[in-house]
Amino acid sequence: MRGTRATEVVPAGEEFRFVCADGMTGAASKILLATGLVDELPDVERIEPLYGLSVHHCLYCDGFEYAGKPVAAYGKGDKGAELGLVMKHWMSDVVVCSDGTEVSSQTMRRLEQHGIPLRSEPVQSLQGTNGELSKIVFRSGPELPRAGLFFATGCHQASDLSKSLGCKRDEKGGAVTDPVTGGTGVPGVYVAGDVSRDVLLVAVAIAEGAEAGVAINKAFLRRDGLCE
Ligand SMILES: Cc1cc2nc3c(=O)[nH]c(=O)nc-3n(C[C@H](O)[C@H](O)[C@H](O)COP(=O)(O)OP(=O)(O)OC[C@H]3O[C@@H](n4cnc5c(N)ncnc54)[C@H](O)[C@@H]3O)c2cc1C
């Protein structure tokens, strides 16, 4: 294991040549990409100390902790409103914050149908101590006491190596894998975890890593004539 960043991985005949940020170079027969995603945090003052503690991006990871608590859905335009609608499945007290942007009339009707209030004023900052959100401060209007905030501002791939290796990618840069084999379609290139964007959970990343490991081992066995 090397704690460095792979900056370049390119096909070279039957193998791949790689270059790392610490200057190491080499060749590999197979490549397993597990480079993950980077969440795009909302541009809101004092969000960073709360991120991962009371400000979250994933309902499947953290939603259950907020049942019965007051929460906010943050996102510009319809994105935050759509997140707020989904959050209703977990939590009863949800307020959508669209941070100075408009929500379409159609989505606005859906918010009303489900009893979800909208605060459209620009968000100034989040207030909280020891990682616990206490309130949202707007540039105008009253503060909003909240115990948690979920955001819908997106994420991007941590690395573009899947692109340079020729993997098919979706519109967000995630590697598209075969639903049956899990393969990338590029011989010798395997992916695991958030590099492919199916379900973004630790358990799935671990399982995909194990599957890729087995697939790589079988490919070596076939190469060496040890199995069909
Ligand atoms: C705040 C937060 C909370 C979460 N909570 C949960 C939860 O409660 N339950 C759950 O199941 N999931 C949770 N997740 C999601 C979970 O962390 C991911 O789905 C999982 O970690 C994906 O694993 P991965 O190996 O694909 O990517 P990562 O865990 O992101 O690991 C990728 C690694 O690759 C490295 N890397 C990137 N580019 C390169 C490169 N070019 N060369 C070398 N290394 C590189 C990165 O530095 C990183 O160390 C959470 C995520 C976040 C951000």
Side-chain angles (χ1 to χ4, degrees):
M1 157 142 172
R2 297 281 288 243
T4 185
R5 191 175 173 80
T7 53
E8 202 182 314
V9 185
V10 287
E14 293 289 292
E15 54 185 20
F16 302 89
R17 304 290 309 172
F18 63 85
V19 179
C20 295
D22 66 356
M24 183 175 65
T25 60
S29 305
K30 310 282 178 209
I31 299 292
L32 171 53
L33 292 176
T35 44
L37 283 174
V38 178
D39 285 320
E40 290 157 14
L41 286 191
D43 187 13
V44 170
E45 265 176 51
R46 297 195 207 145
I47 193 169
E48 293 219 359
L50 303 171
Y51 174 51
L53 297 168
S54 56
V55 170
H56 310 278
H57 68 289
C58 175
L59 284 166
Y60 294 106
C61 300
D62 299 290
F64 69 96
E65 289 173 37
Y66 293 91
K69 295 185 186 172
V71 286
Y74 175 97
K76 298 201 174 182
D78 280 10
K79 271 190 170 182
E82 278 157 13
L83 174 65
L85 285 160
V86 177
M87 282 166 67
K88 265 292 190 180
H89 200 65
W90 277 267
M91 308 138 199
S92 55
D93 182 358
V94 179
V95 175
V96 169
C97 300
S98 67
D99 199 1
T101 60
E102 278 183 24
V103 171
S104 71
S105 52
Q106 192 188 353
T107 305
M108 200 56 231
R109 270 198 298 281
R110 291 175 65 211
L111 289 181
E112 282 159 12
Q113 271 167 15
H114 292 276
I116 304 174
L118 169 71
R119 292 287 302 267
S120 59
E121 309 97 302
V123 174
Q124 182 166 306
S125 66
L126 303 183
Q127 306 276 312
T129 45
N130 298 326
E132 285 184 22
L133 176 68
S134 55
K135 61 189 173 193
I136 301 171
V137 180
F138 298 89
R139 271 202 227 139
S140 59
E143 297 170 346
L144 179 66
R146 294 286 98 178
L149 178 146
F150 287 78
F151 60 86
T153 41
C155 53
H156 59 266
Q157 288 292 318
S159 147
D160 258 349
L161 292 175
S162 66
K163 186 178 181 186
S164 56
L165 283 164
C167 298
K168 191 174 167 202
R169 307 203 321 161
D170 62 25
E171 72 285 355
K172 291 183 176 167
V176 176
T177 53
D178 185 290
V180 178
T181 65
T184 61
V186 179
V189 178
Y190 302 77
V191 294
D194 293 356
V195 173
S196 70
R197 295 181 39 93
D198 276 351
V199 178
L200 308 175
L201 292 175
V202 170
V204 175
I206 292 170
E208 288 176 353
E211 281 182 347
V214 170
I216 289 169
N217 177 253
K218 285 189 173 164
F220 283 135
L221 292 173
R222 277 195 299 276
R223 180 197 65 186
D224 296 343
L226 296 167
C227 83
E228 294 292 304

